[in-house]
């Protein structure tokens, strides 16, 4: 026979079930309501006139609780012949002579004490081992711990390196050796230095650094979590844009491929701004402005940081650190920023690529839907940082970030779907531009059929972000609705043709664009310097005539350092595309 402790919770449940059954009857509710009205009016409530049936009904709960208490004290097994279905009111127990009836406040206190005692008995029951305890841990937000990691051995190597420095203190110049002792990439030296407090004192003692690095090794188990821990603000598990500034400033100061920038400190911040925006453009896939460990693991940023040490030419690191790419982006911005206040308005942006982008799309960009700075919408000005995102998205519409960028712009109502109305809204201006160029536009219905065949949306008549990422032809789709020059270019060539490098690897649209524009800009700057040399030569009749008659002065495109500024035009080989 089962033990008493196992049956007690079952008895309590049955009593509660019977009590709720009694309380839900209309007769009981009517009777209780009448007594409540009498109590509210201050009248005396006398139960002597109530018949036996009603008395038994009112005292049902008290009797059952007292009976339960007596049953627990005697620890007698409960019989199994209890009916499974709730009995009617006429069959409810009327209270035997062996159980004392308790009413009023004392009865309520007794009921509470009985319930407490039963709850305590239930908690004392042995708990079986949960099945979840046998499931191995599979979520490691700070990386999977390494079983064979010997922290003490690593710390001893670090202490040995510090012993080589005066007073066992390392300056920023010594941190390269310390980074290698920590088995970290070379350009982690400034994050290591600052995390140990070196930015405040100018040096790092061995004790502070060892304490910091030991804690890092104990809590962070992969490169992504360590990098975030070193760069992030105290208490944060993510990286914001300003967290990268000390790290990138060290790259500018110490990398051999950027040595020419030492003579132009004014452009350090603009190069750093460009790299930071490219980092967030490629890594921060959530668009939150906060890079997490998970996003860092999924990107190739840390691999590029390792390559910084191995590659002397930063232009080979085209994903983030290329100076040529920065040069192209900044030159394009400088052309549009006529007053050179590092801000452009809608009229300035409309001049990009000979007014190829529609005015409706420019209005959407300035609406704040794809910019972080709220002042873009309030003041109607676009900063250089936001322009970096625009140019990267405009010149390469095949990346996930660029698809999300333009999808947000075209999704006027923000419902996550491009409706036929929204497509027609942007296509109307394209038709007007084509008519002004004496080109008959394709009717919207025919254009819509082509785009639906191109994208093949999962839901008929509704194009989602997932559809555009899956179709691999998003650049044709977007250019059709807001870039007239590229739309006509797509119409005149095979959309499935892919340009490849000589080694057979596919080149991204952005890399191809940046390479072509950089060659043009270098040639243009060399031509300007050649003309300025003629103007400044007093022995040159042509230079003297132009200078005297037209009062022209020496004018560079703008004062930005260029590692190829001494190019000779006579030796420059023009490509076929630029002849």
């Amino acid at each position: 026979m089962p033990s008493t402790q196992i049956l007690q919770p079952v008895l309590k449940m049955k009593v509660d079930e019977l009590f709720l059954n009694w309380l839900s009857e209309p007769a009981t509710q009517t009777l209780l309501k009448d007594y409540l009205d009498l109590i509210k009016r201050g009248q005396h409530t006398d139960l002597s006139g109530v018949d036996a049936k009603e008395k038994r009904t009112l005292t049902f709960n008290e009797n059952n609780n007292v009976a339960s208490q007596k049953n627990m004290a005697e620890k007698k097994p409960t019989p199994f012949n209890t009916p499974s279905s709730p009995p009617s009111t006429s069959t409810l127990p009327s209270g035997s002579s062996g159980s004392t009836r308790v009413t009023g406040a004392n009865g309520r206190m007794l009921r509470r004490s009985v319930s407490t005692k039963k709850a305590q008995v239930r908690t004392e029951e042995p708990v079986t081992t949960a099945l979840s305890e046998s499931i191995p841990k599979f979520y490691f937000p700070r990386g999977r711990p390494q079983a064979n990691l010997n922290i003490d051995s690593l710390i001893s190597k670090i202490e040995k390196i510090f012993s080589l420095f005066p007073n066992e203190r390392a300056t920023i110049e010594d941190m390269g050796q310390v980074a290698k002792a920590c088995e970290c990439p070379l350009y982690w030296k400034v994050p290591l230095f600052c995390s140990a407090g070196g930015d405040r004192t100018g040096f790092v003692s061995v004790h502070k650094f060892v304490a910091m690095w030991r804690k890092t090794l104990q809590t962070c188990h992969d490169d992504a979590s360590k990098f975030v821990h070193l760069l992030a603000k105290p208490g944060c598990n993510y990286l914001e844009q300003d967290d990268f500034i000390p790290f990138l400033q060290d790259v500018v100061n110490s990398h051999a491929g950027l040595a020419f920038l030492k003579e132009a400190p004014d452009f350090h911040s603009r190069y750093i701004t460009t790299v930071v925006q490219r980092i967030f453009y490629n890594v921060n896939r959530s668009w939150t402005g906060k890079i997490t460990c998970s996003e860092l693991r999924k990107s190739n940023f840390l691999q590029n940081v390792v390559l910084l040490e191995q590659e002397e030419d930063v232009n080979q690191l085209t994903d983030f650190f290329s100076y040529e790419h920065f040069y192209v982006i900044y030159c394009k911005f400088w052309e549009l920023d006529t007053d050179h206040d590092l801000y452009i308005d809608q009229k300035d942006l409309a001049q990009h690529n000979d007014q190829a982008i529609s005015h409706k799309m420019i209005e959407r960009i300035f609406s704040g839907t794809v910019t972080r700075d709220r002042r873009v919408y309030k003041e109607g000005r676009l900063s250089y940082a936001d322009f970096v995102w625009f140019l990267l998205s405009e010149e390469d519409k095949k990346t996930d970030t660029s698809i999300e960028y333009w999808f947000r712009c075209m999704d006027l109502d923000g419902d996550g779907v491009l409706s036929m109305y929204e497509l027609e809204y942007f296509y109307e201006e394209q038709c007007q531009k084509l008519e002004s160029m004496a080109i008959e536009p394709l009717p919207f219905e025919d254009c819509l059929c082509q785009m639906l065949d191109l994208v093949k949306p999962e839901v008929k008549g509704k194009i989602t972000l997932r559809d555009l990422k899956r179709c691999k032809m998003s650049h044709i789709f977007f250019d059709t609705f807001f870039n007239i020059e590229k739309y006509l270019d797509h119409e005149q060539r095979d959309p499935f043709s892919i340009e490849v490098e000589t080694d057979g690897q596919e080149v991204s649209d952005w890399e191809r664009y940046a390479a072509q524009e950089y060659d043009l800009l270098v040639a243009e700057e060399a031509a300007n310097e050649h003309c300025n040399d003629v103007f400044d030569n007093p022995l040159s009749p042509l230079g003297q005539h132009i200078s005297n008659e037209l009062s022209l002065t020496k004018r560079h495109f703008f004062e930005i350092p260029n590692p190829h500024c001494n190019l000779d035009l006579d030796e420059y080989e023009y490509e076929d595309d630029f002849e």
Side-chain angles (χ1 to χ4, degrees):
M1 180 177 293
S3 63
T4 305
Q5 289 187 353
I6 296 179
L7 290 177
Q8 284 171 359
V10 178
L11 178 62
K12 177 67 169 59
M13 294 172 60
K14 175 58 69 174
V15 172
D16 292 340
E17 180 184 355
L18 295 175
F19 173 74
L20 292 175
N21 184 40
W22 165 80
L23 188 63
S24 61
E25 290 188 359
T28 305
Q29 295 180 3
T30 302
L31 184 62
L32 291 177
K33 183 178 180 181
D34 294 339
Y35 279 115
L36 287 174
D37 293 339
L38 293 176
I39 294 173
K40 288 181 181 180
R41 291 196 296 266
Q43 298 180 7
H44 176 67
T45 304
D46 186 10
L47 299 179
S48 59
V50 184
D51 57 10
K53 182 178 179 180
E54 291 178 345
K55 286 185 178 180
R56 289 197 301 270
T57 303
L58 290 174
T59 59
F60 161 74
N61 190 53
E62 291 85 350
N63 291 336
N64 277 279
N65 278 281
V66 174
S68 300
Q69 182 189 18
K70 183 177 180 181
N71 186 31
M72 290 175 59
E74 297 177 357
K75 295 185 178 180
K76 293 182 179 180
T78 304
F80 284 91
N81 55 359
T82 305
S84 58
S85 59
S88 61
T89 308
S90 59
T91 62
L92 289 177
S94 59
S96 61
S97 59
S99 62
T100 306
R101 192 173 119 187
V102 183
T103 58
N106 294 331
R108 287 191 293 272
M109 292 176 60
L110 181 59
R111 288 196 295 274
R112 284 196 294 268
S113 64
V114 171
S115 300
T116 305
K117 185 175 182 181
K118 289 184 177 182
Q120 292 174 352
V121 172
R122 188 171 185 176
T123 56
E124 293 174 358
E125 295 179 3
V127 181
T128 58
T129 304
L131 295 177
S132 59
E133 294 182 3
S134 62
I135 300 177
K137 185 177 180 180
F138 58 89
Y139 177 60
F140 302 94
R142 290 178 174 264
R144 183 183 294 273
Q146 301 178 17
N148 57 349
L149 178 63
N150 191 343
I151 297 180
D152 293 334
S153 176
L154 293 175
I155 295 299
S156 63
K157 293 180 181 179
I158 296 172
E159 291 175 344
K160 184 178 180 180
I161 292 296
F162 268 88
S163 64
L164 303 177
F165 306 140
N167 299 324
E168 294 188 339
R169 295 177 176 179
T171 62
I172 186 62
E173 290 78 11
D174 303 324
M175 288 306 297
Q177 302 178 51
V178 177
K180 286 302 178 182
C182 296
E183 299 182 357
C184 295
L186 175 65
Y187 285 95
W188 284 36
K189 53 185 178 178
V190 166
L192 289 169
F193 185 75
C194 295
S195 183
D199 55 334
R200 298 186 297 271
T201 60
F203 61 87
V204 175
S205 65
V206 61
H207 302 292
K208 285 187 177 180
F209 186 87
V210 166
M212 179 276 299
W213 190 240
R214 183 184 294 274
K215 181 180 179 181
T216 302
L217 293 177
Q218 292 173 348
T219 57
C220 306
H221 308 291
D222 65 351
D223 289 344
S225 59
K226 292 175 185 176
F227 191 82
V228 171
H229 177 75
L230 294 175
L231 264 69
K233 301 178 180 65
C236 297
N237 58 352
Y238 53 82
L239 296 177
E240 296 179 317
Q241 294 190 8
D242 56 342
D243 295 330
F244 287 89
I245 294 178
F247 161 73
L248 293 175
Q249 185 64 56
D250 177 60
V251 174
V252 173
N253 294 338
S254 58
H255 197 280
L258 298 173
F260 60 90
L261 267 182
K262 293 181 180 180
E263 301 177 358
D266 294 341
F267 288 93
H268 289 187
S269 62
R270 296 167 194 179
Y271 172 78
I272 291 174
T273 298
T274 306
V275 176
V276 168
Q277 297 308 316
R278 297 194 67 182
I279 292 172
F280 276 78
Y281 185 89
N282 291 296
V283 179
N284 187 212
R285 302 295 303 113
S286 60
W287 286 66
T288 59
K290 301 174 181 179
I291 295 179
T292 62
C293 294
S294 177
E295 290 178 329
L296 203 58
R297 291 189 192 99
K298 297 176 182 178
S299 70
N300 64 341
F301 174 72
L302 293 180
Q303 290 83 342
N304 276 263
V305 174
V306 175
L307 292 175
L308 274 174
E309 177 184 357
Q310 305 171 2
E311 183 61 60
E312 294 184 0
D313 185 7
V314 293
N315 295 319
Q316 300 299 321
L317 307 178
T318 56
D319 291 335
F320 303 101
F321 301 103
S322 173
Y323 183 84
E324 292 181 356
H325 290 189
F326 155 70
Y327 190 83
V328 170
I329 296 173
Y330 194 75
C331 285
K332 291 298 177 182
F333 181 81
W334 190 266
E335 289 178 356
L336 302 177
D337 184 19
T338 55
D339 54 0
H340 305 316
D341 61 348
L342 297 181
Y343 286 95
I344 57 176
D345 55 18
Q346 293 191 29
K347 293 182 179 179
D348 296 330
L349 188 60
Q351 302 302 318
H352 175 72
N353 198 17
D354 296 329
Q355 301 182 355
I357 301 177
S358 66
H359 292 284
K360 292 182 179 179
M361 180 53 65
I362 291 178
E363 291 176 358
R364 286 293 295 165
I365 295 173
F366 278 82
S367 67
T369 185
V370 290
T371 54
R372 300 193 185 282
D373 194 350
R374 296 181 179 179
R375 292 177 298 178
V376 173
Y377 176 72
K378 294 181 180 180
E379 302 178 5
R381 301 193 307 170
L382 200 70
S383 65
Y384 173 68
D386 292 320
F387 179 80
V388 174
W389 282 64
F390 162 78
L391 191 62
L392 292 174
S393 301
E394 164 60 19
E395 298 304 333
D396 191 352
K397 297 185 177 71
K398 298 178 183 178
T399 64
D400 288 344
T401 305
S402 64
I403 295 174
E404 295 165 3
Y405 187 96
W406 297 118
F407 184 88
R408 288 184 176 212
C409 291
M410 295 189 67
D411 187 13
L412 299 176
D413 52 7
D415 62 349
V417 174
L418 298 184
S419 63
M420 304 303 104
Y421 162 75
E422 291 165 333
L423 299 181
E424 186 176 13
Y425 172 80
F426 288 100
Y427 190 70
E428 287 177 352
E429 186 172 348
Q430 294 288 84
C431 293
Q432 296 174 3
K433 287 188 174 183
L434 290 173
E435 291 175 351
S436 64
M437 299 168 64
I439 300 176
E440 183 180 359
L442 191 68
F444 174 72
E445 291 76 10
D446 298 337
C447 176
L448 181 61
C449 291
Q450 291 184 2
M451 293 299 103
L452 292 178
D453 292 339
L454 182 74
V455 177
K456 295 181 174 59
E458 294 181 352
V459 180
K460 185 178 180 180
K462 295 182 179 180
I463 298 177
T464 63
L465 181 62
R466 179 180 177 180
D467 296 329
L468 291 173
K469 289 183 177 180
R470 189 186 66 250
C471 75
K472 306 300 181 182
M473 304 294 288
S474 57
H475 57 294
I476 298 178
F477 175 85
F478 289 127
D479 291 334
T480 301
F481 291 101
F482 57 81
N483 192 312
I484 192 66
E485 295 293 336
K486 293 185 178 181
Y487 167 71
L488 294 176
D489 183 57
H490 293 317
E491 291 293 316
Q492 297 172 3
R493 69 174 179 176
D494 183 8
F496 296 97
S497 62
I498 301 177
E499 298 182 23
V500 296
E501 288 183 330
T502 55
D503 57 0
Q505 295 181 353
E506 183 179 353
V507 182
S508 68
D509 290 349
W510 165 252
E511 292 178 356
R512 187 181 303 109
Y513 168 81
Q516 295 174 354
E517 290 296 324
Y518 183 77
D519 291 340
L520 286 174
L521 290 171
V522 169
E524 181 180 354
E525 185 173 351
N528 289 336
E529 289 186 358
H530 182 72
C531 293
N532 289 327
D533 291 340
V534 175
F535 297 156
D536 293 341
N537 187 0
L539 301 179
S540 172
L542 177 62
Q544 184 177 8
H545 172 75
I546 295 177
S547 179
N548 293 337
E549 297 295 330
L550 302 179
S551 300
L552 293 178
T553 59
K554 181 178 180 180
R555 177 181 178 275
H556 290 282
F557 181 70
F558 62 92
E559 298 297 333
I560 179 172
N562 185 353
H564 303 106
C565 59
N566 57 351
L567 179 68
D568 189 355
L569 282 179
D570 297 334
E571 298 179 356
Y572 183 77
E573 296 181 1
Y574 289 90
E575 297 183 5
D576 295 338
D577 295 339
F578 309 133
E579 290 181 353

